[in-house]
């Protein structure tokens, strides 16, 4: 059944490829008329495609803590553990715009995908280029100050360790986006997402992942020690959230 669902997803992507080329052109024209509305319109298209993909694949996510996402247009920094490409696909469908992601530089060379990512405020990071990393952080700070939320994965890449309850260490530098832009941080715990694809490549598997949004945190209100090491602090917060999800899911069994 998973093979059939995977085939359906790829068949769905064929017409999407051609339709989205037209939508990209319309978005390019729309941007010259009203950039903000154009970005939100294009974000809506991306979210629709992503939502359709996971539904066709038989993935039934549980979103928890959506009430913690600001509804007043406040720009925040979303911070999450990272086990699967579906962390992005699922999370992106419920985040109000404008919102962008910080992704690794490799995606910048993927036709169509990179075009859409640039249209919805995504940035590309070269982990091996310190100067490029600094430029990216400064750009992200300006974007958040301008009203665009950003999502980061402080582990730096998808963590493939055997235990999803122990994410890799979080890089501290990326949290400057929040401190310099005076933005609150919303921690996200992505639970049981690697079985959806990464553990079964190239077949997508149906599943019931959990995506939990924590309460917004103002880094300036943390202790002096946590202010110095926000990566360590938020890794701990997400670990606690993952454990809570695990306990809740085990009670259902």
């Amino acid at each position: 059944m998973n093979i059939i669902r995977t085939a359906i997803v790829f068949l769905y992507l064929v017409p999407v490829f051609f339709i989205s080329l037209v939508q990209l052109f319309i978005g390019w024209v729309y941007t010259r008329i009203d950039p903000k509305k154009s970005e939100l319109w294009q974000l809506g298209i991306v979210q629709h495609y992503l939502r359709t993909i996971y539904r066709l694949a038989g993935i039934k996510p549980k979103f928890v803590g959506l009430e913690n996402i600001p509804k007043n247009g406040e720009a925040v920094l979303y911070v999450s553990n990272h086990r699967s490409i579906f962390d992005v696909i699922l999370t992106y469908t419920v985040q109000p715009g404008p919102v962008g992601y910080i992704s690794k530089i490799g995606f910048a060379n993927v036709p169509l995908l990179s075009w859409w990512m640039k249209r919805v405020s995504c940035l590309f990071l070269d982990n091996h280029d310190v100067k490029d990393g600094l430029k990216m952080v400064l750009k992200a700070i300006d974007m958040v100050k301008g009203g665009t939320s950003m999502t980061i994965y402080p582990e730096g890449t998808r963590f493939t360790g055997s235990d999803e309850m122990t994410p890799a260490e979080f890089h501290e530098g990326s949290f400057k986006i929040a401190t310099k832009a005076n933005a609150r941080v919303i921690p996200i715990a992505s639970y049981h997402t690697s079985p959806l694809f990464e553990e079964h490549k190239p077949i997508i598997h149906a599943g019931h992942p959990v995506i939990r949004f924590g309460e917004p945190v103002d880094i300036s209100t943390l202790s002096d020690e946590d202010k110095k090491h926000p990566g360590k602090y938020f890794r701990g917060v997400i670990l606690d959230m993952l454990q809570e999800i695990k306990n809740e899911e085990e009670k259902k069994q």
Side-chain angles (χ1 to χ4, degrees), residues 62-74 76 78 94-96 184 186-188 211-217 241 244 248:
K62 178 181 179 182
F63 296 105
V64 182
L66 294 179
E67 68 278 3
N68 291 322
I69 300 176
K71 306 299 190 297
N72 60 356
E74 174 190 354
V76 299
Y78 296 98
V94 294
Q95 292 171 303
R184 294 193 294 172
I186 295 182
I188 303 173
I211 308 294
R212 171 169 288 181
F213 292 82
E215 295 183 2
V217 177
M241 292 167 65
E244 290 174 3
E248 292 170 0

Side-chain angles (χ1 to χ4, degrees), residues 58-62 191-192 196 206-210 249:
I59 297 170
K60 299 179 180 179
K62 178 181 179 182
Y191 178 80
H192 219 49
L196 303 177
H208 297 79
V210 180
E249 293 301 304

Side-chain angles (χ1 to χ4, degrees), residues 101-109 118 122-141 156 173-174 177:
Y101 276 62
I102 294 178
S103 178
K104 59 184 180 181
I105 193 67
F107 286 111
N109 300 317
K118 291 174 183 176
C122 291
L123 300 175
F124 301 98
L125 171 65
D126 185 348
N127 289 322
H128 304 292
D129 188 329
V130 177
K131 289 184 178 180
D132 179 74
L134 178 58
K135 289 180 180 178
M136 184 279 300
V137 169
L138 293 175
K139 176 65 174 177
I141 292 171
S174 54
I177 298 171

Side-chain angles (χ1 to χ4, degrees), residues 196-252:
L196 303 177
F197 182 64
E198 275 67 19
E199 294 179 13
H200 309 284
K201 289 180 180 179
I203 305 302
I204 302 172
H205 277 230
H208 297 79
V210 180
I211 308 294
R212 171 169 288 181
F213 292 82
E215 295 183 2
V217 177
D218 185 341
I219 293 181
S220 67
T221 65
L222 300 179
S223 67
D224 290 340
E225 179 64 20
D226 290 334
K227 287 178 185 177
K228 292 179 182 178
H229 305 286
K232 181 179 179 181
Y233 171 80
F234 283 103
R235 181 177 182 273
V237 170
I238 291 175
L239 275 171
D240 290 342
M241 292 167 65
L242 288 170
Q243 189 61 57
E244 290 174 3
I245 296 172
K246 182 179 181 180
N247 294 341
E248 292 170 0
E249 293 301 304
E250 289 178 346
K251 287 180 181 178
K252 298 177 183 178

